[in-house]
Amino acid sequence: MLDVTKDGQGAAGAPVIEAKGLNLTFHTNDGPVHALKDVDLTINKGEFVSFIGPSGCGKTTFLRTIADLEQPTGGSLTVNGMTPEAARKARAYGYVFQAAGLYPWRTIEGNVKLPLQIMGYSKAEQAERAARVLELVELAGFEKKFPWQLSGGMQQRASIARALAFDAEILLMDEPFGALDEIVRDRLNEELLKLWARTQKTIGFVTHSIPEAVYLSTKIVVMSPRPGRITDVIESTLPAERPLDIRDSAEFISIAHRVREGLRAGYEDA
Amino acid sequence: MSRSIPVLTVVAVLIGLWYLAVIPMNAKWEYDQAARNDRELAFGEMVALTMNQERPVLPAPHQVLIGLYEQTVGCDAVGRRMCRETTPLTVQGFGQRVVESVSSNRSLIYHGLITLNATLLGFLIGTGGGILLAVAIVYNRATDASVMPWAIASQTIPIIALAPMIIVVLNSIGVAGLVPKAIIAAYLSFFPVVVGMVKGLRAPDAMQLDLMKTYSAGGRDVFLKLRLPMSMPFLFASLKIGIASALVGTIVGELPVQRGGLGVRLLSGSYYGQTIQIWAALFAAAILAASLVGIVGAIERRVLKRMGMAA
Ligand SMILES: Nc1ncnc2c1ncn2[C@@H]1O[C@H](COP(=O)(O)OP(=O)(O)OP(=O)(O)O)[C@@H](O)[C@H]1O
Ligand SMILES: [Mg+2]
């Protein structure tokens, strides 16, 4: 397990997402909004990359652009060497939105099966995969429940299960735990790390929390607003094996410090 | 149980008010009658008389109730012979009377079934058409811009003015009977369905649509797995209005034709001053409407419950 993550950290992983001089300007009634300006970033296979920065710095926009939900106005962006649109059509990624966004008329199992049904998996395979990913996010036994019968944290886990169900190699997550309390968040962070180690996925993860970013990531991308841009990219030196109390280690604190400095610098620039 | 008490209280109050209203409404006739016969009429006597007039201005509740009975399984509906030979108090007798009543043109069951047939056919046409139009409006901007104003305008024409024209036009091309009435019913019921379905099909938010896009789902899947289920609560709300409107349309469509139906009972009752008949027909229509809405509501609860949504 240790080797796998090591592999993802180093230069050995092939580039999965490559942005070069990426620009995205929204034209609004109040004039142009530069959501992304000259963004250069390479994410390699198996990396866990966190995006952190103040509100409005373009974290969501960048993730959505990778997912082909927004169109860049300049620069180049490739996903698995393809255009984002081709990658989306090839179902290269699973996307976890900030709100769980489960369909209320489907059971938890039905929600997890939604992408599988759309992608034409056989009934047997749907059942097998749904059971497997629900097991993975510790929701076995809740298959027949409707979303409103579950807590917010459980709903969020179900939405992660939904994104995992179809074996996309990339997982894009936009503040998936933003609305959850600290304790639940810690648990889900731990689970997410295990899941990442087990599945070797490439993960893009948006967060507002410095400890969360440092705890989870192999690479932390610090962004700042107006215009939205990358101000620092920090390669984590933490080991792959990360118990929760690693957050008290000197190394963790020094990385967190560097992230905080990067955030502060962004504020002063703006 | 706890809910039935307030409901029963309200009903009792309404019936009480109705009885009170009967007295002044029907008093004039009794005083005129007494004056013609050169007779003093005591107040108590007058009150008693207003409650049981043959052609009251406002029939008393019990008169309407008796009228409903007479015109369904009572002697008025089933004829004298059957009236003598059977009693509605045994299951067999009641059954025989209902069977007789179904084919007696003096019976509200007979006329109610005629109205029900046209209502259901019209409701089916209106609902089907409404759903198809809603889909066209949601998926095609040109339809949205060109059809919606007409749909709205169509509802501003009073149906009472339009119904005779529809019937005359259809009659002249040889379409008579059930279909013209059903078309008027459809005309009234399609609109709430269009409005509700358009709203329902547009109910998915940007995130739910984006989710579908990340699966690169086709239009078919987006429709069947997102828009359609999302629109169900809207659809059922519309169906309840639509089926009641279809009944109104049918009754209006029956007025000019005089070939059976509750509308005919209403109109012929007013020709001959048979107010009890009018009120009995009105109540029959109301009971029919309530049952139809109730059935739609029951289906709604079952469907939404299966979809995990509390109705
Ligand atoms: N569809 C849009 N139309 C116009 N402007 C937009 C749109 N989406 C985002 N923006 C603008 O782009 C900028 C970046 O937005 P974005 O949502 O990416 O920020 P964020 O970093 O995710 O913020 P938060 O932490 O609050 O989620 C903001 O100024 C926002 O107002
Ligand atoms: Mg955001």
Side-chain angles (χ1 to χ4, degrees):
Chain A
M1 194 160 77
L2 213 116
D3 283 348
V4 168
T5 31
K6 268 264 171 60
D7 210 39
Q9 276 177 348
V16 171
I17 296 163
E18 277 188 292
K20 288 205 189 83
L22 192 69
N23 278 281
L24 198 156
T25 308
F26 289 110
H27 294 281
T28 69
N29 291 335
D30 306 330
V33 175
H34 299 281
L36 296 173
K37 185 159 168 49
D38 300 330
V39 169
D40 293 303
L41 185 71
T42 301
I43 299 176
N44 294 320
K45 186 164 173 25
E47 275 191 302
F48 195 129
V49 179
S50 284
F51 299 88
I52 191 165
S55 195
C57 68
K59 306 181 293 292
T60 297
T61 305
F62 187 45
L63 221 57
R64 287 175 59 83
T65 310
I66 296 169
D68 188 39
L69 297 174
E70 304 286 356
Q71 301 310 315
T73 46
S76 78
L77 176 65
T78 59
V79 179
N80 284 342
M82 298 178 258
T83 63
E85 187 185 4
R88 174 173 66 79
K89 296 217 162 115
R91 286 148 180 173
Y93 64 85
Y95 199 104
V96 179
F97 293 84
Q98 179 159 7
L102 302 171
Y103 289 177
W105 57 86
R106 281 174 172 254
T107 59
I108 295 306
E109 188 181 35
N111 269 287
V112 172
K113 283 181 180 172
L114 174 72
L116 304 176
Q117 286 165 357
I118 291 170
M119 296 173 193
Y121 286 83
S122 73
K123 280 249 157 64
E125 185 143 11
Q126 285 175 28
E128 188 263 313
R129 279 169 179 262
R132 181 157 51 81
V133 290
L134 283 172
E135 183 82 38
L136 211 59
V137 298
E138 294 182 21
L139 277 180
F142 293 90
E143 291 86 355
K144 297 284 177 267
K145 294 264 190 273
F146 283 100
W148 54 269
Q149 294 171 303
L150 267 59
S151 72
M154 292 162 103
Q155 289 184 28
Q156 198 52 268
R157 276 187 278 164
S159 87
I160 293 170
R162 182 176 59 182
L164 293 173
F166 54 97
D167 281 347
E169 300 212 331
I170 305 170
L171 193 55
L172 302 173
M173 308 170 90
D174 190 355
E175 295 190 51
F177 309 139
L180 306 178
D181 72 67
E182 205 68 20
I183 307 292
V184 175
R185 205 169 167 147
D186 281 352
R187 259 177 55 84
L188 291 183
N189 280 340
E190 248 185 319
E191 283 174 32
L192 183 60
L193 269 191
K194 282 193 206 137
L195 198 147
W196 170 64
R198 233 176 307 170
T199 57
Q200 297 179 266
K201 286 186 195 299
T202 309
I203 299 184
F205 186 94
V206 171
T207 179
H208 269 130
S209 154
I210 296 173
E212 187 170 71
V214 178
Y215 177 68
L216 291 172
S217 318
T218 57
K219 184 187 267 179
I220 301 160
V221 176
V222 182
M223 297 179 71
S224 83
R226 282 177 297 275
R229 64 199 187 280
I230 294 176
T231 48
D232 197 4
V233 176
I234 302 159
E235 298 281 348
S236 175
T237 49
L238 291 176
E241 196 71 52
R242 297 178 186 181
L244 274 174
D245 56 23
I246 202 171
R247 294 179 297 184
D248 299 324
S249 70
E251 200 172 2
F252 186 98
I253 290 166
S254 95
I255 297 172
H257 181 75
R258 191 171 151 197
V259 174
R260 186 168 291 112
E261 288 299 306
L263 285 173
R264 193 168 296 152
Y267 269 111
E268 278 155 14
D269 286 1
Chain B
M1 192 62 217
S2 58
R3 247 202 300 175
S4 63
I5 290 171
V7 170
L8 288 176
T9 311
V10 170
V11 170
V13 168
L14 286 177
I15 290 178
L17 287 174
W18 184 351
Y19 268 115
L20 283 179
V22 167
I23 302 166
M25 294 297 275
N26 298 340
K28 187 170 177 303
W29 196 81
E30 295 299 344
Y31 281 124
D32 287 353
Q33 207 63 8
R36 209 165 297 158
N37 298 338
D38 257 343
R39 207 163 76 78
E40 274 298 303
L41 192 59
F43 181 76
E45 200 184 351
M46 179 278 286
V47 169
L49 285 171
T50 56
M51 292 297 154
N52 284 302
Q53 291 179 357
E54 201 179 323
R55 288 175 184 188
V57 174
L58 177 64
H62 66 270
Q63 289 182 292
V64 175
L65 216 59
I66 292 168
L68 269 176
Y69 165 76
E70 284 293 340
Q71 293 168 45
T72 48
V73 292
C75 301
D76 277 6
V78 299
R80 269 205 221 118
R81 208 170 66 98
M82 170 136 314
C83 192
R84 242 182 295 117
E85 290 170 1
T86 62
T87 160
L89 297 178
T90 65
V91 174
Q92 199 204 5
F94 187 82
Q96 280 177 313
R97 283 187 175 211
V98 169
V99 169
E100 180 68 24
S101 191
V102 165
S103 58
S104 154
N105 72 355
R106 294 176 52 77
S107 135
L108 281 173
I109 297 181
Y110 168 82
H111 291 285
L113 284 174
I114 293 177
T115 302
L116 179 65
N117 275 338
T119 301
L120 291 181
L121 181 61
F123 177 67
L124 280 182
I125 298 171
T127 306
I131 291 173
L132 289 181
L133 192 59
V135 172
I137 285 172
V138 168
Y139 277 93
N140 186 316
R141 192 165 299 164
T143 317
D144 188 10
S146 60
V147 172
M148 208 54 185
W150 288 105
I152 292 167
S154 77
Q155 300 300 305
T156 64
I157 305 168
I159 190 65
I160 206 90
L162 200 63
M165 292 197 293
I166 294 177
I167 286 172
V168 167
V169 167
L170 288 177
N171 242 321
S172 72
I173 58 169
V175 182
L178 186 68
V179 174
K181 294 193 287 181
I183 286 175
I184 295 165
Y187 176 85
L188 283 192
S189 62
F190 98 99
F191 187 66
V193 174
V194 171
V195 173
M197 269 315 262
V198 166
K199 200 162 161 47
L201 291 173
R202 284 190 178 147
D205 60 30
M207 197 202 89
Q208 288 170 314
L209 290 166
D210 279 347
L211 183 70
M212 279 293 183
K213 198 173 168 193
T214 67
Y215 304 145
S216 80
R220 213 183 114 93
D221 278 324
V222 175
F223 181 76
L224 291 177
K225 296 195 166 65
L226 177 57
R227 291 191 190 273
L228 200 60
M230 194 108 190
S231 69
M232 280 303 125
F234 297 85
L235 175 64
F236 277 108
S238 303
L239 290 185
K240 282 194 254 182
I241 303 169
I243 200 154
S245 305
L247 182 68
V248 171
T250 304
I251 289 175
V252 169
E254 284 165 350
L255 298 179
V257 185
Q258 295 297 307
R259 280 272 186 70
L262 294 175
V264 170
R265 294 294 285 180
L266 286 171
L267 201 64
S268 68
S270 73
Y271 279 159
Y272 303 112
Q274 300 278 7
T275 43
I276 297 177
Q277 182 187 321
I278 300 175
W279 280 81
L282 267 181
F283 270 79
I287 292 166
L288 189 57
S291 315
L292 291 173
V293 173
I295 291 168
V296 174
I299 297 171
E300 173 184 33
R301 273 191 299 280
R302 278 193 59 170
V303 170
L304 293 193
K305 195 174 163 201
R306 272 193 58 184
M307 292 172 72
M309 295 191 251

